[in-house]
Amino acid sequence: MTTGKHLRFTKEELIELLREIEEKKANAIKNQNYEMAANFRDREREIREQIGDNDNKHSR
């Protein structure tokens, strides 16, 4: 899985990616694949940080 740290996404793209990751995490939990769910949780955190970073850059 690509981390996306070197790619630039718009806030809207990050929000859409976050929705997809949340859905995949929910499916992983439903299927009791907790290791995969944890990976999606970690990815969610990274995306939320990127969204926050984008907001901070625009508010300066």
Side-chain angles (χ1 to χ4, degrees):
M1 177 184 276
T2 312
T3 61
K5 290 184 187 269
H6 300 291
L7 301 175
R8 301 220 181 247
F9 295 100
T10 65
K11 182 176 179 178
E12 291 77 19
E13 290 171 328
L14 289 171
I15 290 169
E16 180 61 31
L17 184 58
L18 184 60
R19 287 184 186 129
E20 292 172 14
I21 298 281
E22 288 171 337
E23 186 175 322
K24 289 178 181 181
K25 182 182 76 174
N27 286 330
I29 292 169
K30 182 179 177 181
N31 293 319
Q32 298 182 357
N33 189 340
Y34 301 116
E35 186 174 345
M36 183 179 287
N39 289 331
F40 287 131
R41 178 205 60 215
D42 295 343
R43 185 66 182 119
E44 276 182 298
R45 287 180 183 157
E46 292 173 2
I47 294 169
R48 289 182 195 281
E49 286 177 14
Q50 288 179 343
I51 291 170
D53 288 347
N54 282 349
D55 286 344
N56 289 337
K57 286 179 186 174
H58 294 295
S59 65
R60 291 181 186 174

